[in-house]
Amino acid sequence: MGLLEGKTILVTGVTMHTSIAFKVAQIAQDEGARVIVSNIPRAIRVTHRAVRKLDPVPEVIELDATDEEQLTALPETLRALGVEKLDGVVHAIAFANPKTALGGEFLNTEWHDVDVALHTSTYSYVSLAKAVQPLFGTTAAVVGLTFDATVSWPFYDWMGVAKAGLESANRYLARYLGKDGVRCNLVSAGPLDTMAKTSIPGADAFNDLWGDRAPLGWDTKDATAAAKAVVALLSDWFPATTGEMVHADGGLHSTGA
């Protein structure tokens, strides 16, 4: 039996086959889960193309996690696919305008762009969990993705602030959903050559940093390590772990200068 045998998992934000979310969907299926994937409406064609590489090809739904109407309709959207119980949800959703909120523009970013970054990358984590809560059974898992925001990073700017908010929101979500048997955790991955990373001006500098300092080394082209951490947290093997941030970054977070 696989780690997720018999479970149904919603994986959001599946884009290119290089994304962490795609790799999560692939490994979750390999571990026995029924996987449903989602993406924002304007990117849904990209998602459909990507998931053709999976066997079986999972169902794909449109979901903008910043749209209240779509979130309200989400339980019925899933029930229409025959989902009566959801065992886990993966939040792989983030956005900040690369021209105004990233790349060294921290002091010049207007509130509108900060608002978009916080709503998309932080608040949607809580909104998504609340939306699917009616489908959770006696136990369930919510897992999100972060890039360790306990420190500041060059170029990361307002996305770093949004991720810091996400990490705090995860702890509060764990506090309030724990009584319902819901575990809420984050995986902090090292830099990966995903579509999201390529949109960050100057982000290639992270590759050299990880190459020089990660004790276990780090492959920026392979999302497997991060995805396996997500799948492990979705499984029953962490029954008493919540409000946690698990690093899957080759150990760089533990090193000094």
Side-chain angles (χ1 to χ4, degrees):
M1 290 180 62
L3 284 178
L4 302 182
E5 195 72 34
K7 294 185 182 295
T8 300
I9 307 295
L10 172 64
V11 182
T12 66
V14 174
T15 52
M16 309 296 286
H17 69 278
T18 55
S19 70
I20 298 174
F22 176 89
K23 199 66 178 177
V24 169
Q26 184 179 55
I27 295 174
Q29 284 189 332
D30 291 344
E31 292 297 328
R34 176 190 177 185
V35 173
I36 298 165
V37 305
S38 76
N39 206 349
I40 54 176
R42 67 176 179 271
I44 205 69
R45 290 184 180 180
V46 175
T47 303
H48 276 289
R49 285 197 297 270
V51 300
R52 289 173 192 163
K53 298 177 180 291
L54 298 176
D55 184 18
V57 177
E59 295 109 329
V60 178
I61 61 173
E62 294 184 1
L63 176 64
D64 181 344
T66 66
D67 186 312
E68 289 187 16
E69 290 186 4
Q70 290 191 29
L71 288 170
T72 299
L74 182 55
E76 285 308 312
T77 300
L78 292 171
R79 288 189 182 106
L81 297 176
V83 176
E84 295 300 326
K85 181 170 74 76
L86 194 65
D87 300 288
V89 59
V90 178
H91 180 275
I93 300 167
F95 177 77
N97 190 324
K99 294 181 180 179
T100 60
L102 296 164
E105 292 299 314
F106 184 82
L107 295 179
N108 302 317
T109 308
E110 299 290 340
W111 166 245
H112 170 73
D113 289 317
V114 175
D115 181 25
V116 170
L118 294 177
H119 191 181
T120 309
S121 311
T122 308
Y123 186 73
S124 70
Y125 180 68
V126 179
S127 300
L128 178 63
K130 286 172 57 182
V132 296
Q133 193 176 3
L135 293 175
F136 287 156
T138 55
T139 62
V142 181
V143 183
L145 297 172
T146 190
F147 188 70
D148 193 337
T150 58
V151 298
S152 65
W153 296 102
F155 315 115
Y156 209 45
D157 296 348
W158 285 100
M159 180 57 80
V161 176
K163 290 297 188 181
L166 174 68
E167 291 165 16
S168 181
N170 178 64
R171 292 187 287 270
Y172 278 96
L173 195 64
R175 171 182 288 268
Y176 286 105
L177 294 187
K179 61 181 175 55
D180 298 320
V182 180
R183 295 173 289 111
C184 306
N185 295 289
L186 300 177
V187 170
S188 177
L192 292 161
D193 294 333
T194 62
M195 185 170 65
K197 176 170 168 279
T198 58
S199 70
I200 303 173
D204 285 344
F206 291 134
N207 292 13
D208 294 335
L209 176 64
W210 257 257
D212 291 341
R213 289 178 48 197
L216 294 175
W218 185 252
D219 185 350
T220 62
K221 299 185 182 301
D222 188 358
T224 302
K228 282 185 173 181
V230 172
V231 169
L233 288 169
L234 289 169
S235 78
D236 296 330
W237 283 92
F238 285 87
T241 299
T242 194
E244 186 61 86
M245 178 169 69
V246 175
H247 289 85
D249 66 348
L252 185 133
H253 72 282
S254 68
T255 66

